[in-house]
């Protein structure tokens, strides 16, 4: 490797995790400054919400997700992200409700929903049956019309 290549650390060293966390904290700081200048910039809000989620800062992430849903109530991805944050803080009723709303609004990336670690607790709960029923109905509707809605991420 040349001296211009970034250093690589064994994953077991813990340095990789520390560098990732430092990068996320730096990114969060920049996004907060940008939002101070442009408080209504949705792209900055979304990126800050993602950084907070990756840092495990669920209270801040929840405020951001709720703001995005309040300002854009018909956006299925924002509803999905709020559902994830609610599940992470243990509000499974709220999470289930937001997932149902996201599906109603057109969220169709069911493979992601079924694998998303943020929703692990909800998937293990009986309330997830409601979400599974809504997913099945949405898939049936898509098959009946012959359309395949675009997946959200």
């Amino acid at each position: 490797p040349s001296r211009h290549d970034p250093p690589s650390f064994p994953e077991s060293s813990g340095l990789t995790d520390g560098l990732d966390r430092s990068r996320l904290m730096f990114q969060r700081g920049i996004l907060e400054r940008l939002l101070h200048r442009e408080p209504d910039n949705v792209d900055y809000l979304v990126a800050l919400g993602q950084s907070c989620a990756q840092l495990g800062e669920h209270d801040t992430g929840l405020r951001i997700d709720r703001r995005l849903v309040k300002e854009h109530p018909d956006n299925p991805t924002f509803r999905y992200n709020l559902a994830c944050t609610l599940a992470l803080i243990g509000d499974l009723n709220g999470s289930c409700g937001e997932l149902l709303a996201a599906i109603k609004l057109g969220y169709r990336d069911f493979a992601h929903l079924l694998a998303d670690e943020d929703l692990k607790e909800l998937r293990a709960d009986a309330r997830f049956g409601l979400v599974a029923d809504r997913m099945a109905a949405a898939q049936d509707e898509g098959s009946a019309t012959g359309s395949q809605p675009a997946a959200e991420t």
Side-chain angles (χ1 to χ4, degrees), residues 19-94:
L19 289 173
D20 286 343
R21 183 161 181 79
S22 293
R23 178 187 55 80
L24 288 168
M25 291 173 68
F26 178 75
Q27 178 180 327
R28 183 193 63 203
I30 290 172
L31 289 164
E32 287 170 342
R33 284 187 209 87
L34 290 170
L35 276 167
H36 184 70
R37 288 188 211 154
E38 297 180 53
D40 296 325
N41 187 307
V42 174
D43 293 332
Y44 296 160
L45 278 170
V46 169
L48 181 59
Q50 290 170 341
S51 292
C52 290
Q54 291 174 336
L55 287 165
E57 297 174 354
H58 303 308
D59 291 339
T60 303
L62 182 60
R63 281 195 312 275
I64 292 167
D65 290 340
R66 284 193 166 139
R67 177 178 169 187
L68 287 166
V69 166
K70 181 179 179 182
E71 293 176 7
H72 306 276
D74 295 331
N75 184 307
T77 302
F78 294 164
R79 296 270 181 177
Y80 179 87
N81 291 341
L82 177 55
C84 289
T85 303
L86 290 168
L88 288 169
I89 64 167
D91 182 356
L92 299 184
N93 280 334

Side-chain angles (χ1 to χ4, degrees), residues 116-128:
D116 194 329
E117 283 296 308
D118 293 349
L119 299 171
K120 183 170 66 172
E121 296 294 324
L122 180 61
R123 284 194 305 272
D125 189 274
R127 289 167 276 204
F128 189 73

